[in-house]
Amino acid sequence: MAKAHPKPTPPRVVLDTNLVLSALVFSGGALIHLRRAWQSGRFTPLASTATAGELIRVLAYPKLQLRTGERESLLSDYLPFCESVRVPDPPPSTPPCRDPFDVQFLELAVAGEAEFLVTGDHDILVLASEFLCPILKADDFLARLEIE
């Protein structure tokens, strides 16, 4: 009888808030593939108190016009798929970032031993050559998932 090959562990991935928001709110957009990938277990999104709090805050922005029930429903399509990571105090060292609000994603990637940080944010993308894991745009990450 042939031995079954163990299923590879899905990669641990940090997604920036704008990508998560787009994948959740704009269901007809290109990022629906990202949403389907986390929901089908193709990767494990990582979340910290700071990144989850930012997502909750952004979903409440008046311009999105989401009622409380809609926000809760969107969160339930993301947070249960995430692995919660505690970022230590003091946080891990990261390369200097122009936008202080982006540092939380770098710290989460280090603390959570992420295999990828996925973003569309230029202030994070410019750090790719000096960061410990690959920093990719969503379409590049999705292409890499297809190869695996």
Side-chain angles (χ1 to χ4, degrees), residues 13-14 105-106 109 114-119 124 131 133-136:
V13 178
V14 172
F105 301 106
L106 301 170
E115 293 168 62
F116 299 98
L117 194 163
V118 183
T119 184
I124 298 174
F131 199 60
C133 73
I135 298 176
L136 302 173

Side-chain angles (χ1 to χ4, degrees), residues 15 18-40 42-43 74 77 138-139 142 145-146:
L15 301 174
N18 286 331
L19 289 180
V20 175
L21 180 70
S22 294
L24 290 172
V25 175
F26 306 111
S27 58
L31 292 178
I32 188 66
H33 301 293
L34 191 66
R35 185 177 183 176
R36 288 182 182 142
W38 81 58
Q39 290 177 335
S40 65
R42 299 285 313 276
F43 70 93
L74 291 172
D77 279 347
D139 53 352
L142 287 167
L145 270 185
E146 292 305 314

